[in-house]
Amino acid sequence: MILDQVRARGQVGIEELSQIHDVSPQTIRRDVNELCATGVLRRVHGGVELPGSENLLYTSRRMMNESAKRAIGGVFAELIPSGASLAVSIGTTPEIAIQSLSARSDLMVVTNNLNIALIASDRADWSVRIPGGAVRPGDRDVLGPQVEAFFARYQVDFGVFGVGGVSEDGSLLDFTEEEVAARMAILRNCRRSVLLLDHTKFGRSAHVRGGHLRDLDVVICDRAIPAHHATALISRGAQLVIAEEQA
């Protein structure tokens, strides 16, 4: 709840959070300190704010909204049959989604993320393809023009990706041009595109545009998405699936 309030307002004071949640300032400070230690928030005088326009560390992102991501992964698994081919982008939600496919056999996974490649390569009956190039520290992914060419060599059944954020007008956002270029290469070379995102991505600030909700075939989110986005998706025949978190 603290994270949601800071995302909505940019910066919130400790005393105000204490009043909102009807707990002591000491309790709020303890929770805030834990959030700051993982890198998802940073302290400012009298309160907390988001770290900035850069994306968070991969290890921090993996811990955020984990139950929501696992619910999304469970729904995603229902869409993917054995024998399918998938191009999978960087991100913690796609990583968790690939983990959810343990009951599927004979999959081909094409990805530029080493975490996803390692998960997929644990299965003897799956095949895995990765591009060459420099590995980005922390995120363990490969980006650059060679990655766009790599994805262009395959025509896959499913293109699977997350995003840094979704703007009010439905534009898909990420943090670097290379991230957007890789995602767009997947979108161009798949038979069915699947966006995986939790509700916090709507309205989240990221500064590089690439693609739009109207470009997608399937959108899976953990909660109901803003009504105008849902209406636009459904009106053009896209599939919108809301995954319910398991307590």
Side-chain angles (χ1 to χ4, degrees), residues 20-62:
I20 290 171
H21 298 288
D22 193 25
V23 296
S24 69
Q26 290 77 15
T27 297
I28 292 294
R29 288 191 186 95
R30 183 167 59 248
D31 290 345
V32 160
N33 287 340
E34 291 181 10
L35 291 167
C36 291
T38 65
V40 299
L41 292 179
R42 68 180 176 193
R43 292 297 297 266
V44 295
H45 181 68
V48 284
E49 65 180 10
L50 296 176
S53 61
E54 312 86 25
N55 207 358
L56 301 173
L57 294 174
Y58 197 91
T59 51
S60 298
R61 301 202 311 272
R62 185 185 272 136

Short mmCIF file of all heavy atoms in Angstrom, two decimals, residues 20-62:
data_model
loop_
_atom_site.label_atom_id
_atom_site.label_comp_id
_atom_site.label_asym_id
_atom_site.label_seq_id
_atom_site.Cartn_x
_atom_site.Cartn_y
_atom_site.Cartn_z
N ILE A 20 -2.57 7.89 7.44
CA ILE A 20 -3.37 7.13 6.48
C ILE A 20 -3.59 5.70 6.97
O ILE A 20 -4.70 5.15 6.89
CB ILE A 20 -2.68 7.12 5.10
CG1 ILE A 20 -2.73 8.51 4.47
CG2 ILE A 20 -3.33 6.08 4.16
CD1 ILE A 20 -1.88 8.64 3.21
N HIS A 21 -2.53 5.08 7.50
CA HIS A 21 -2.60 3.68 7.89
C HIS A 21 -2.89 3.47 9.38
O HIS A 21 -2.97 2.32 9.83
CB HIS A 21 -1.29 2.97 7.51
CG HIS A 21 -1.04 2.97 6.03
ND1 HIS A 21 -1.75 2.20 5.15
CD2 HIS A 21 -0.16 3.68 5.27
CE1 HIS A 21 -1.33 2.42 3.91
NE2 HIS A 21 -0.36 3.32 3.97
N ASP A 22 -3.03 4.58 10.11
CA ASP A 22 -3.36 4.52 11.53
C ASP A 22 -2.38 3.66 12.31
O ASP A 22 -2.75 2.79 13.10
CB ASP A 22 -4.80 3.99 11.72
CG ASP A 22 -5.30 4.22 13.14
OD1 ASP A 22 -4.80 5.16 13.81
OD2 ASP A 22 -6.20 3.47 13.57
N VAL A 23 -1.10 3.90 12.04
CA VAL A 23 -0.03 3.24 12.78
C VAL A 23 0.97 4.30 13.19
O VAL A 23 0.92 5.45 12.74
CB VAL A 23 0.67 2.14 11.95
CG1 VAL A 23 -0.30 1.02 11.61
CG2 VAL A 23 1.29 2.72 10.68
N SER A 24 1.92 3.93 14.03
CA SER A 24 2.90 4.90 14.52
C SER A 24 3.90 5.26 13.42
O SER A 24 4.15 4.46 12.51
CB SER A 24 3.65 4.33 15.72
OG SER A 24 4.50 3.27 15.30
N PRO A 25 4.50 6.45 13.50
CA PRO A 25 5.57 6.79 12.55
C PRO A 25 6.73 5.79 12.58
O PRO A 25 7.35 5.54 11.55
CB PRO A 25 6.03 8.18 13.04
CG PRO A 25 4.83 8.75 13.72
CD PRO A 25 4.17 7.57 14.38
N GLN A 26 6.99 5.20 13.76
CA GLN A 26 8.06 4.21 13.86
C GLN A 26 7.77 2.98 13.00
O GLN A 26 8.67 2.42 12.36
CB GLN A 26 8.25 3.79 15.32
CG GLN A 26 8.83 4.86 16.23
CD GLN A 26 7.81 5.93 16.63
OE1 GLN A 26 6.60 5.73 16.46
NE2 GLN A 26 8.30 7.05 17.15
N THR A 27 6.50 2.58 12.99
CA THR A 27 6.12 1.43 12.15
C THR A 27 6.31 1.76 10.68
O THR A 27 6.84 0.95 9.90
CB THR A 27 4.65 1.05 12.42
OG1 THR A 27 4.52 0.63 13.77
CG2 THR A 27 4.20 -0.08 11.50
N ILE A 28 5.88 2.95 10.27
CA ILE A 28 6.05 3.37 8.88
C ILE A 28 7.53 3.43 8.52
O ILE A 28 7.94 2.97 7.45
CB ILE A 28 5.38 4.73 8.63
CG1 ILE A 28 3.85 4.61 8.74
CG2 ILE A 28 5.79 5.30 7.28
CD1 ILE A 28 3.22 3.75 7.66
N ARG A 29 8.35 4.00 9.41
CA ARG A 29 9.78 4.10 9.12
C ARG A 29 10.41 2.72 8.94
O ARG A 29 11.28 2.55 8.08
CB ARG A 29 10.49 4.86 10.24
CG ARG A 29 10.20 6.35 10.26
CD ARG A 29 11.13 7.10 11.20
NE ARG A 29 10.73 8.50 11.32
CZ ARG A 29 9.94 8.99 12.27
NH1 ARG A 29 9.48 8.17 13.23
NH2 ARG A 29 9.62 10.26 12.28
N ARG A 30 9.98 1.76 9.74
CA ARG A 30 10.52 0.41 9.61
C ARG A 30 10.20 -0.18 8.24
O ARG A 30 11.07 -0.73 7.56
CB ARG A 30 9.97 -0.48 10.72
CG ARG A 30 10.54 -1.90 10.71
CD ARG A 30 10.21 -2.64 11.98
NE ARG A 30 8.77 -2.74 12.19
CZ ARG A 30 8.10 -2.12 13.18
NH1 ARG A 30 8.76 -1.36 14.04
NH2 ARG A 30 6.80 -2.26 13.31
N ASP A 31 8.93 -0.04 7.81
CA ASP A 31 8.55 -0.54 6.48
C ASP A 31 9.27 0.23 5.37
O ASP A 31 9.72 -0.36 4.39
CB ASP A 31 7.04 -0.43 6.30
CG ASP A 31 6.27 -1.41 7.16
OD1 ASP A 31 6.90 -2.36 7.68
OD2 ASP A 31 5.06 -1.24 7.32
N VAL A 32 9.36 1.54 5.54
CA VAL A 32 10.03 2.37 4.54
C VAL A 32 11.50 2.00 4.43
O VAL A 32 12.06 1.92 3.32
CB VAL A 32 9.85 3.86 4.87
CG1 VAL A 32 10.89 4.72 4.17
CG2 VAL A 32 8.44 4.31 4.50
N ASN A 33 12.14 1.75 5.55
CA ASN A 33 13.55 1.37 5.52
C ASN A 33 13.76 0.07 4.75
O ASN A 33 14.74 -0.08 4.01
CB ASN A 33 14.09 1.23 6.94
CG ASN A 33 14.28 2.58 7.63
OD1 ASN A 33 14.35 3.62 6.97
ND2 ASN A 33 14.33 2.58 8.95
N GLU A 34 12.84 -0.88 4.92
CA GLU A 34 12.95 -2.14 4.19
C GLU A 34 12.78 -1.91 2.69
O GLU A 34 13.50 -2.49 1.87
CB GLU A 34 11.90 -3.14 4.69
CG GLU A 34 12.16 -3.64 6.11
CD GLU A 34 11.12 -4.64 6.56
OE1 GLU A 34 10.32 -5.09 5.71
OE2 GLU A 34 11.10 -4.98 7.76
N LEU A 35 11.82 -1.06 2.32
CA LEU A 35 11.59 -0.76 0.91
C LEU A 35 12.78 -0.04 0.30
O LEU A 35 13.17 -0.30 -0.85
CB LEU A 35 10.32 0.07 0.75
CG LEU A 35 9.01 -0.66 1.08
CD1 LEU A 35 7.86 0.33 1.20
CD2 LEU A 35 8.69 -1.70 0.03
N CYS A 36 13.36 0.88 1.05
CA CYS A 36 14.53 1.60 0.55
C CYS A 36 15.74 0.68 0.42
O CYS A 36 16.55 0.84 -0.50
CB CYS A 36 14.86 2.78 1.46
SG CYS A 36 13.64 4.12 1.41
N ALA A 37 15.86 -0.29 1.32
CA ALA A 37 16.99 -1.22 1.27
C ALA A 37 16.97 -2.07 0.02
O ALA A 37 18.02 -2.46 -0.51
CB ALA A 37 17.00 -2.10 2.52
N THR A 38 15.77 -2.37 -0.51
CA THR A 38 15.66 -3.15 -1.74
C THR A 38 15.75 -2.29 -2.99
O THR A 38 15.79 -2.81 -4.11
CB THR A 38 14.33 -3.93 -1.79
OG1 THR A 38 13.24 -3.00 -1.86
CG2 THR A 38 14.17 -4.82 -0.58
N GLY A 39 15.74 -0.96 -2.82
CA GLY A 39 15.89 -0.06 -3.96
C GLY A 39 14.60 0.38 -4.60
O GLY A 39 14.62 1.11 -5.60
N VAL A 40 13.44 -0.02 -4.07
CA VAL A 40 12.18 0.35 -4.71
C VAL A 40 11.72 1.76 -4.33
O VAL A 40 10.89 2.36 -5.02
CB VAL A 40 11.06 -0.67 -4.41
CG1 VAL A 40 11.45 -2.04 -4.92
CG2 VAL A 40 10.74 -0.73 -2.93
N LEU A 41 12.23 2.28 -3.22
CA LEU A 41 11.98 3.67 -2.81
C LEU A 41 13.28 4.30 -2.34
O LEU A 41 14.26 3.59 -2.09
CB LEU A 41 10.95 3.73 -1.66
CG LEU A 41 9.51 3.32 -1.94
CD1 LEU A 41 8.68 3.43 -0.67
CD2 LEU A 41 8.89 4.15 -3.05
N ARG A 42 13.28 5.61 -2.21
CA ARG A 42 14.43 6.28 -1.61
C ARG A 42 13.93 7.35 -0.65
O ARG A 42 12.87 7.95 -0.85
CB ARG A 42 15.35 6.89 -2.67
CG ARG A 42 14.76 8.05 -3.44
CD ARG A 42 15.76 8.55 -4.46
NE ARG A 42 15.20 9.62 -5.28
CZ ARG A 42 15.76 10.06 -6.40
NH1 ARG A 42 16.89 9.51 -6.83
NH2 ARG A 42 15.20 11.03 -7.10
N ARG A 43 14.71 7.58 0.39
CA ARG A 43 14.34 8.54 1.43
C ARG A 43 14.61 9.97 0.97
O ARG A 43 15.58 10.25 0.26
CB ARG A 43 15.14 8.28 2.71
CG ARG A 43 14.81 6.99 3.43
CD ARG A 43 13.40 6.94 3.94
NE ARG A 43 13.13 7.95 4.93
CZ ARG A 43 13.22 7.75 6.25
NH1 ARG A 43 13.60 6.57 6.72
NH2 ARG A 43 12.94 8.72 7.09
N VAL A 44 13.72 10.85 1.32
CA VAL A 44 13.92 12.29 1.19
C VAL A 44 13.57 12.89 2.55
O VAL A 44 13.06 12.21 3.43
CB VAL A 44 13.04 12.91 0.08
CG1 VAL A 44 13.45 12.38 -1.28
CG2 VAL A 44 11.56 12.63 0.33
N HIS A 45 13.86 14.16 2.73
CA HIS A 45 13.60 14.79 4.02
C HIS A 45 12.12 14.67 4.39
O HIS A 45 11.25 15.18 3.69
CB HIS A 45 13.99 16.26 3.99
CG HIS A 45 13.78 16.95 5.30
ND1 HIS A 45 14.54 16.66 6.42
CD2 HIS A 45 12.89 17.91 5.68
CE1 HIS A 45 14.12 17.41 7.43
NE2 HIS A 45 13.13 18.18 7.00
N GLY A 46 11.85 13.94 5.46
CA GLY A 46 10.49 13.81 5.96
C GLY A 46 9.62 12.79 5.27
O GLY A 46 8.46 12.62 5.63
N GLY A 47 10.16 12.07 4.27
CA GLY A 47 9.31 11.13 3.57
C GLY A 47 10.07 10.22 2.62
O GLY A 47 11.27 9.98 2.80
N VAL A 48 9.37 9.76 1.59
CA VAL A 48 9.95 8.86 0.60
C VAL A 48 9.44 9.23 -0.79
O VAL A 48 8.38 9.84 -0.93
CB VAL A 48 9.59 7.38 0.88
CG1 VAL A 48 10.41 6.81 2.00
CG2 VAL A 48 8.11 7.21 1.14
N GLU A 49 10.20 8.81 -1.82
CA GLU A 49 9.80 9.02 -3.20
C GLU A 49 10.29 7.85 -4.04
O GLU A 49 11.06 7.01 -3.57
CB GLU A 49 10.36 10.33 -3.75
CG GLU A 49 11.88 10.36 -3.85
CD GLU A 49 12.41 11.67 -4.40
OE1 GLU A 49 11.62 12.63 -4.54
OE2 GLU A 49 13.63 11.74 -4.69
N LEU A 50 9.85 7.81 -5.29
CA LEU A 50 10.36 6.81 -6.22
C LEU A 50 11.81 7.11 -6.56
O LEU A 50 12.23 8.28 -6.53
CB LEU A 50 9.51 6.78 -7.49
CG LEU A 50 8.05 6.35 -7.30
CD1 LEU A 50 7.30 6.46 -8.61
CD2 LEU A 50 7.95 4.95 -6.74
N PRO A 51 12.59 6.08 -6.94
CA PRO A 51 14.01 6.30 -7.19
C PRO A 51 14.31 7.21 -8.37
O PRO A 51 15.40 7.76 -8.46
CB PRO A 51 14.55 4.88 -7.45
CG PRO A 51 13.55 3.98 -6.85
CD PRO A 51 12.23 4.66 -6.99
N GLY A 52 13.41 7.38 -9.31
CA GLY A 52 13.69 8.21 -10.48
C GLY A 52 13.18 7.55 -11.73
O GLY A 52 12.45 6.56 -11.69
N SER A 53 13.55 8.09 -12.89
CA SER A 53 13.04 7.57 -14.16
C SER A 53 13.75 6.30 -14.60
O SER A 53 13.30 5.63 -15.51
CB SER A 53 13.18 8.63 -15.25
OG SER A 53 14.53 8.97 -15.42
N GLU A 54 14.90 5.95 -13.97
CA GLU A 54 15.57 4.71 -14.34
C GLU A 54 14.79 3.53 -13.78
O GLU A 54 14.09 3.65 -12.79
CB GLU A 54 17.00 4.67 -13.79
CG GLU A 54 17.83 5.91 -14.03
CD GLU A 54 17.62 6.95 -12.96
OE1 GLU A 54 17.25 6.58 -11.83
OE2 GLU A 54 17.83 8.13 -13.26
N ASN A 55 14.94 2.39 -14.42
CA ASN A 55 14.30 1.20 -13.91
C ASN A 55 15.01 0.72 -12.65
O ASN A 55 16.19 1.01 -12.44
CB ASN A 55 14.31 0.09 -14.96
CG ASN A 55 13.16 -0.89 -14.77
OD1 ASN A 55 12.38 -0.76 -13.83
ND2 ASN A 55 13.06 -1.84 -15.66
N LEU A 56 14.30 -0.05 -11.83
CA LEU A 56 14.87 -0.58 -10.60
C LEU A 56 15.79 -1.75 -10.91
O LEU A 56 15.76 -2.33 -11.99
CB LEU A 56 13.74 -1.05 -9.67
CG LEU A 56 12.72 0.01 -9.27
CD1 LEU A 56 11.59 -0.65 -8.51
CD2 LEU A 56 13.36 1.10 -8.46
N LEU A 57 16.62 -2.12 -9.93
CA LEU A 57 17.46 -3.29 -10.08
C LEU A 57 16.60 -4.53 -10.31
O LEU A 57 15.50 -4.66 -9.77
CB LEU A 57 18.31 -3.49 -8.83
CG LEU A 57 19.38 -2.42 -8.55
CD1 LEU A 57 20.02 -2.69 -7.20
CD2 LEU A 57 20.41 -2.37 -9.66
N TYR A 58 17.12 -5.47 -11.10
CA TYR A 58 16.36 -6.67 -11.45
C TYR A 58 15.94 -7.44 -10.21
O TYR A 58 14.81 -7.90 -10.11
CB TYR A 58 17.21 -7.55 -12.36
CG TYR A 58 16.42 -8.60 -13.10
CD1 TYR A 58 15.91 -8.35 -14.36
CD2 TYR A 58 16.19 -9.86 -12.54
CE1 TYR A 58 15.19 -9.31 -15.05
CE2 TYR A 58 15.47 -10.82 -13.21
CZ TYR A 58 14.97 -10.54 -14.47
OH TYR A 58 14.24 -11.49 -15.13
N THR A 59 16.86 -7.57 -9.26
CA THR A 59 16.53 -8.32 -8.04
C THR A 59 15.40 -7.65 -7.26
O THR A 59 14.56 -8.32 -6.66
CB THR A 59 17.77 -8.46 -7.14
OG1 THR A 59 18.36 -7.16 -6.95
CG2 THR A 59 18.79 -9.38 -7.76
N SER A 60 15.36 -6.31 -7.28
CA SER A 60 14.28 -5.60 -6.60
C SER A 60 12.97 -5.78 -7.35
O SER A 60 11.91 -6.00 -6.74
CB SER A 60 14.61 -4.11 -6.49
OG SER A 60 15.78 -3.90 -5.73
N ARG A 61 13.01 -5.70 -8.68
CA ARG A 61 11.79 -5.85 -9.47
C ARG A 61 11.21 -7.25 -9.32
O ARG A 61 9.99 -7.42 -9.31
CB ARG A 61 12.08 -5.58 -10.95
CG ARG A 61 12.65 -4.20 -11.22
CD ARG A 61 12.44 -3.76 -12.65
NE ARG A 61 12.82 -4.72 -13.66
CZ ARG A 61 14.04 -4.82 -14.18
NH1 ARG A 61 15.02 -4.02 -13.76
NH2 ARG A 61 14.30 -5.69 -15.13
N ARG A 62 12.07 -8.24 -9.19
CA ARG A 62 11.58 -9.61 -9.07
C ARG A 62 10.74 -9.78 -7.80
O ARG A 62 9.78 -10.55 -7.77
CB ARG A 62 12.76 -10.58 -9.06
CG ARG A 62 12.34 -12.05 -9.06
CD ARG A 62 13.53 -12.96 -8.93
NE ARG A 62 14.12 -13.29 -10.20
CZ ARG A 62 15.42 -13.29 -10.44
NH1 ARG A 62 16.27 -12.92 -9.50
NH2 ARG A 62 15.88 -13.65 -11.61
#
